[in-house]
Amino acid sequence: MSDKWWKTTVVYQIYPRSFQDTNGDGIGDLRGIIRRLDYLQELGIGAIWLSPVYKSPNDDNGYDISDYRDIMDEFGTMADMDELIREADARGIKIVMDLVVNHTSDEHPWFIESRKSKDNPYRDYYIWRDPVNGDAPNGLRSTFSGSAWEFDEETGQYYLHLFSKRQPDLNWENPNVRQEVWDLMNFWLEKGVGGFRMDVIDLVGKIPDQEITGNGPKLHEYLQDMHRETFGRYDVMTVGETWGATPEIAKLYSNPERKELSMVFQFEHILLDQQEGKDKWDLKPLPVGELKRVLSKWQTELGDQGWNSLFWNNHDLPRIVSRWGDDGGLRVESAKMFAILLHLMKGTPYIYQGEEIGMTNCPISDISEAQDIETINMYRERLGWGYSREDILASINAKGRDNARTPMQWDDTPNAGFTTGTPWLRVNPNYKSINVAANLADPDSIFHCYRKLIALRQANPIVVWGSYELVEDVPEQLFLYVRRHEGRTWAVAANIGATPVSASVPRLGRSDNVIIANYGDRDGADFAALELKPYEAFAVELG
Ligand code: NOJ
């Protein structure tokens, strides 16, 4: 495969609302990101995926856009944005924009026009249908609870919204809509951005009348058109958010010959702790063996027809250290374990802000503390279905999106150095001990583990290009894999468990050459008699 810059880089996701406030309004801003670029350069990342910064009424924190060519008031101005692109570039960091074009805000001028009358020129920019027997056209449900159809009095029809009713879905079957999307993408490409993360892009080929939402028949045709009309002329990266992707589907998106996307986010591993056929709020314990099999399948099956995205976290997911690790006594060890396990795999790693210092979930005891629309809607719906308040709160504390959205913890000053005002979402009370300043000062911190992993990737082609083999004949909780490249062999071992684990794999021999480890006393590995402490992880060079 060709040597694209995004194959050797590590991407850092910023949720701007919660990153760094500079004007005391309690909301992060673009100047805050500029202020923290030196920190990101020290970490070693090569690109920032910027969650949406466009003009928005913030029904879904910026994922509801009312002007794709302007900046949200709270975040700053287009001049700030231009400066951010320039300043990031000066530090070797590209800005990857979040492209949210499955839907707009209901305050976007296209929708304001569209809902005015059935013969408005913008009517067909959205998906309008007549009532059926006085009710919604069909049973499609919104990700944010309830029907995906909203009745509009003005014209007596329903419009489709797969997310909130303030996020009407665009009608991609209309060529004018697609042209508008290409134009706005070109606007940003001309500004010099490093690419796009494409929000729920697998939904744009939907056929609502057949209740087909993901992976519609024209999806890949649209993406090939997009490639040709927009970013195909630029050296940028593109990553699609595709909840339903299997390796076979991922290859359709990311086989370079098909000229679609660089890579996709697949979510198979992320879905492993939810009950079969239910939704994200219906929890079950993580089946660790499945995690090994799923991640390994993705490592081996894409071959040279695709490229993996490697991630545990984003702004929609709970914090990994709280979710599958230990956010109490072994927080540092388990956070580093997940980092080592993932960052030595093949693909492009993504770090979500705060992950690099081991930020944790932030439980609530009452729904009034929640800010996220998905959480609030689900709470109301499940109360109506007869669920107990306690059960719903337990689901929210395990999976709710606010867990990842609490403000970035910079230091131990009030509000963790995030703002001098009142933060829009409360700061996690553990900021006095978990913060960037403390991490920078401690050479054994989680931050320095991430920094080292990024440096290892940059210095060692085996991490980027090496083959991957899962070692199968070991206990479930031990994730052991081998990478090989041009005569070098690395073994990576991670104990995904709170108890010690032992194993014997004599064929791997022994090594005194430790590349990275999360326990200070690890000075080698004898694979014939391997012993790992709780959440221990290391990589060694073999041979
Ligand atoms: C996926 C985004 O990551 C999420 O935050 C958002 O709510 C939905 N798409 C709708 O845009």
Side-chain angles (χ1 to χ4, degrees), residues 337 477-480 492-503 518-519 522 525-527 529-538:
M337 181 275 288
Q477 78 194 67
L478 177 60
F479 200 143
L480 177 59
V492 180
N495 178 6
I496 314 180
T499 53
V501 68
S502 45
N518 65 344
Y519 278 84
R522 168 66 58 186
D526 176 2
F527 285 91
L530 203 53
E531 307 273 352
L532 276 84
K533 299 185 177 114
Y535 299 114
E536 184 173 359
F538 63 81

Side-chain angles (χ1 to χ4, degrees), residues 204-251:
V204 301
K206 67 184 75 76
I207 311 185
D209 300 317
Q210 294 171 33
E211 301 198 20
I212 295 173
T213 52
N215 298 312
K218 291 212 179 131
L219 171 62
H220 295 284
E221 179 187 320
Y222 294 157
L223 291 177
Q224 285 167 9
D225 290 351
M226 178 193 277
H227 185 289
R228 190 186 58 247
E229 298 296 325
T230 67
F231 56 80
R233 298 187 293 272
Y234 295 83
D235 183 19
V236 297
M237 62 165 273
T238 49
V239 50
E241 186 199 19
T242 59
W243 279 83
T246 60
E248 283 313 307
I249 292 176
K251 287 189 232 178

Side-chain angles (χ1 to χ4, degrees), residues 60 63 100 103 144 163 167 197 199-200 241 315-316 401 405:
D60 184 21
Y63 284 89
V100 189
H103 45 268
F144 294 163
F163 295 90
Q167 291 167 299
R197 173 268 184 185
D199 192 69
V200 291
E241 186 199 19
H315 63 295
D316 295 328
R401 304 194 300 180
R405 299 177 179 186

